Amino acid sequence: MYVRRIEDYGYLADGRSGALVSRNGSVDWWCPTRFDAPSVFARLLDDDGGHWSIRPAGEFQVERSYLPDTLVLRTVFRTGEGTAVVTDALALGRGRGHDIGRYPPCLLLRLVEGLAGQVPMVMSYEPRFEYGRVRAYLELRDGRVVASAAGGTLGMATTVPVDCQETLASASFTVRAGQRESFSLAHWPTYHEPEPAPPDVPAALAHTVEGWRSWAREHDYVGERADLVRRSTLVLKGLSYQPSGGVVAAATTSVPVRPEGHDNYDYRYVWLRDFSLTLRMLSVAACPTEADRLFGWLAESIGDAELTAMPIMLGVEGERDLAERELGTLAGPGGPVLLGNDAWRQRQQDVLGQVLDAAWLLRNRLDPMPEPVRRMLRSLAERAVETWRLPDSGMWELRGEERHHLTAKMGCWIALDRAVRFGAALGEAADVARWAAVRAEIRRAILRHGWNPRVGAFTDAFGSDRLDASVLVLPLVGFISAGDPRMRASIEQIERELTVDGLVRRWPGDSAGFVICSFWLVGCLALLGEQERAAALFDRMAARTNDLGLFAEQIDLRTGAQLGNFPQALSHIGLISAAWRLTSAVTGRPTPEATAI
């Protein structure tokens, strides 16, 4: 059985999709054309899901890194006979700065170079179209290994001789110091586009490196833990679907978040919460340039929230129906593989506040405010007025009975608080007064029903006895001071009852630490003036990334293994936000509202 750990993977991206490359040089996940398209490599989920491996023939040791300011992966293989390096990237195509990834060629680049001695290498190429449903026949055509199925064609070109069998292509070759061998894999629509010419791999790699660096040059974050923040902003950019600007929660589906294997959900969609938080984080990281375009996409996708159901998530081009189904062709590492996500049917009230808060933070970039954006933001405020008393599924998306979650009420409070701050930009004086009155009513309800004196903390829902890490966001969004006796008591309870070796669980009995919860705790400690403890917890969490600085969603309390889909936007959002809180504590610079959720 093929052994896989999610932290063993590196991540490549091109503005439309992402690929995962293992420590042993195997591309085990790639869905060309868009994040939620069918895979051609899915060994991440099933031994027979398809892969493309290039590695030494014998035993080896591995060192990995990204080329600075890029998502171009460099894997160094050291053997007893010599050293070789494999450089991997998804080509960006034309465009620089904020335009990178708009027009990618759907092209996977791999360059093998000898650094010392000589290294016998082996290549194995075994694509499986449409999530493993189709074992396409491979044929050598004009020096290229070509396979077509399900309306798509793959063409693999290389400078080494290839043995092409029915559904498997392989090669054995040796690289010596100074020698290079090139590999590329193009994907194109079988019936709609001509076959592209094989690329000059070194030139295409250099072009891609410069593309990433042109984007990085426009994002000059200055603050604490700058290297980690820059890496996380690159990850968020790599999770962006550039044609629309939507940011997916993660690049994969069905990687389990429990050691025993369950909760295998599809995260290749745009959660409005994550998208709004990403807008804030890119602003913190000195990247507010595209606010008008991205909010324009939100306005088109949400429409009038007073007249239609408020979505909590969308497809990368704004699709609403993301119906969940079980895929029978891949076994999955911890249960069934799912496509789609039925959370799209849920009501999650905190989303209203997330969108309005992001707009408030980026208000200078929305001035003058486009009329569709104004109408959308106003409709979100009105929906908060109309629905704040209703129960919902909560930010943890629990699939059961709806409850009066505290963070849902808080989200409605945020929505109305930011709407009041916008004032005349969103409504008449009577509207603003009405929003302010309901905001005050929500605040009274949260303080009355969200605080549980028996527990000595704010709890997960009105009238509940259960402690929940989500209440850490209350001071981070400006709802209550971290030093308020009730909030301080809640923070102390969460540290005492939910925290294990710096990993904060969401609730008692949760089997793993939820990465962003630990970063919320960093923010709360910083607000309490406990900078040394905040910095120590931040560094402890940062040390839990994989060797490339990547986070999944959760971390196993016993083994420290990462769990869940990968890489996880929300975890990297938490890192950026917590770093900014540390910066604010050190420099005295004010922190933008709600940058830490």
Side-chain angles (χ1 to χ4, degrees):
M1 181 178 178
Y2 184 72
V3 178
R4 59 183 70 77
R5 301 186 311 165
I6 196 62
E7 62 262 40
D8 284 343
Y9 285 94
Y11 180 61
L12 314 176
D14 64 3
R16 286 180 183 255
S17 185
L20 296 188
V21 186
S22 72
R23 286 181 61 84
N24 63 4
S26 183
V27 181
D28 288 344
W29 183 254
W30 188 32
C31 303
T33 71
R34 51 185 270 172
F35 288 100
D36 58 349
S39 65
V40 295
F41 301 129
R43 189 158 66 168
L44 174 72
L45 302 177
D46 188 297
D47 290 359
D48 204 30
H51 69 278
W52 185 22
S53 171
I54 302 175
R55 61 174 178 79
E59 293 184 359
F60 55 86
Q61 295 180 328
V62 172
E63 294 176 13
R64 299 188 300 177
S65 62
Y66 284 113
L67 296 183
D69 293 327
T70 77
L71 288 182
V72 176
L73 179 62
R74 187 174 187 268
T75 304
V76 177
F77 294 104
R78 301 187 188 279
T79 74
E81 300 174 75
T83 303
V85 60
V86 179
T87 303
D88 293 316
L90 282 172
L92 289 177
R94 67 183 189 274
R96 287 290 182 266
H98 287 282
D99 287 331
I100 65 167
R102 291 280 189 96
Y103 315 102
C106 284
L107 179 63
L108 184 52
L109 305 169
R110 315 196 73 180
L111 182 66
V112 182
E113 299 176 85
L115 298 183
Q118 59 180 21
V119 182
M121 304 286 292
V122 291
M123 183 210 73
S124 173
Y125 170 69
E126 195 170 11
R128 294 285 185 267
F129 286 80
E130 209 167 320
Y131 300 111
R133 284 192 178 95
V134 183
R135 291 171 174 259
Y137 285 113
L138 307 182
E139 62 172 318
L140 278 171
R141 192 166 71 204
D142 299 325
R144 208 176 200 179
V145 179
V146 177
S148 296
T153 297
L154 289 171
M156 192 266 286
T158 176
T159 55
V160 304
V162 174
D163 178 22
C164 187
Q165 303 297 322
E166 288 186 345
T167 60
L168 170 67
S170 59
S172 297
F173 60 99
T174 298
V175 287
R176 295 170 176 81
Q179 180 182 347
R180 286 180 166 186
E181 300 293 354
S182 296
F183 300 79
S184 65
L185 180 62
H187 178 277
W188 64 92
T190 304
Y191 306 113
H192 302 287
E193 292 183 12
E195 180 175 335
D200 178 330
V201 171
L205 276 172
H207 184 82
T208 297
V209 168
E210 175 51 30
W212 282 112
R213 289 175 177 169
S214 72
W215 185 85
R217 284 193 292 269
E218 298 186 12
H219 306 85
D220 187 22
Y221 168 83
V222 178
E224 293 294 305
R225 313 320 195 261
D227 289 346
L228 294 169
V229 169
R230 292 191 186 103
R231 172 55 53 202
S232 288
T233 58
L234 279 166
V235 172
L236 294 180
K237 183 65 173 177
L239 291 170
S240 300
Y241 181 76
Q242 282 301 101
S244 67
V247 180
V248 298
T252 61
T253 179
S254 302
V255 180
V257 296
R258 294 287 176 269
E260 64 274 17
H262 61 80
D263 291 349
N264 309 334
Y265 298 125
D266 192 348
Y267 276 25
R268 299 173 298 160
Y269 304 107
V270 182
W271 270 256
L272 297 191
R273 178 188 304 109
D274 295 16
F275 181 65
S276 300
L277 292 169
T278 299
L279 284 173
R280 295 195 200 106
M281 292 309 98
L282 292 179
S283 174
V284 166
C287 176
T289 305
E290 292 192 292
D292 53 349
R293 180 174 84 92
L294 301 181
F295 271 100
W297 179 73
L298 267 187
E300 291 175 3
S301 301
I302 293 175
D304 190 327
E306 291 184 84
L307 301 177
T308 60
M310 174 65 189
I312 68 148
M313 58 190 294
L314 300 162
V316 294
E317 294 184 354
E319 302 89 345
R320 294 236 185 165
D321 187 344
L322 307 176
E324 186 174 289
R325 59 191 176 90
E326 186 174 321
L327 182 68
T329 55
L330 299 174
V337 173
L338 300 179
L339 305 181
N341 194 309
D342 274 345
W344 76 277
R345 305 177 190 274
Q346 293 183 351
R347 176 169 53 237
Q348 295 180 23
Q349 302 282 64
D350 71 294
V351 169
L352 304 172
Q354 306 292 4
V355 176
L356 265 156
D357 185 51
W360 175 250
L361 181 62
L362 294 167
R363 61 194 178 276
N364 292 334
R365 296 286 178 172
L366 294 172
D367 187 15
M369 185 180 292
E371 181 59 21
V373 174
R374 189 196 73 80
R375 289 199 302 267
M376 174 195 68
L377 296 177
R378 177 187 168 86
S379 74
L380 297 182
E382 293 295 346
R383 178 162 288 263
V385 169
E386 295 167 6
T387 65
W388 76 268
R389 293 182 179 85
L390 297 177
D392 79 339
S393 297
M395 67 162 53
W396 304 134
E397 297 182 355
L398 301 180
R399 298 192 176 190
E401 182 181 356
E402 292 184 333
R403 302 170 68 212
H404 291 278
H405 291 97
L406 185 146
T407 51
K409 312 304 181 187
M410 179 200 67
C412 292
W413 179 88
I414 296 170
L416 295 174
D417 181 74
R418 288 7 174 206
V420 168
R421 296 191 197 190
F422 271 117
L426 292 189
E428 303 294 334
D431 297 319
V432 176
R434 179 166 49 86
W435 295 336
V438 178
R439 175 186 63 178
E441 185 180 359
I442 297 172
R443 178 178 176 81
R444 288 192 297 270
I446 291 174
L447 295 177
R448 182 181 303 121
H449 302 295
W451 168 258
N452 188 319
R454 296 188 306 277
V455 177
F458 288 106
T459 56
D460 67 329
F462 284 7
S464 171
D465 292 331
R466 191 170 82 168
L467 194 64
D468 194 288
S470 64
V471 306
L472 291 171
V473 304
L474 291 174
L476 303 179
V477 299
F479 178 84
I480 191 172
S481 168
D484 181 283
R486 292 163 294 186
M487 194 64 234
R488 182 184 286 272
S490 300
I491 295 169
E492 291 173 352
Q493 281 263 42
I494 289 169
E495 278 199 276
R496 185 167 56 251
E497 302 293 334
L498 298 185
T499 306
V500 179
D501 293 333
L503 297 172
V504 179
R505 298 175 294 161
R506 288 171 292 178
W507 53 72
D510 200 5
S511 62
F514 206 87
V515 171
I516 197 172
C517 294
S518 292
F519 286 123
W520 287 342
L521 181 56
V522 170
C524 288
L525 293 175
L527 288 175
L528 286 171
E530 299 185 29
Q531 279 78 30
E532 288 188 7
R533 291 183 63 215
L537 178 56
F538 181 98
D539 292 339
R540 196 172 185 180
M541 285 303 299
R544 292 184 179 274
T545 66
N546 74 356
D547 55 325
L548 296 170
L550 304 180
F551 270 123
E553 182 179 59
Q554 302 182 41
I555 296 176
D556 187 277
L557 297 175
R558 294 177 295 102
T559 66
Q562 297 207 34
L563 302 168
N565 286 307
F566 190 80
Q568 181 76 207
L570 201 59
S571 299
H572 289 277
I573 287 167
L575 183 148
I576 297 169
S577 174
W580 185 249
R581 292 285 178 184
L582 295 179
T583 298
S584 180
V586 170
T587 65
R589 283 187 285 171
T591 304
E593 298 88 347
T595 59
I597 299 181

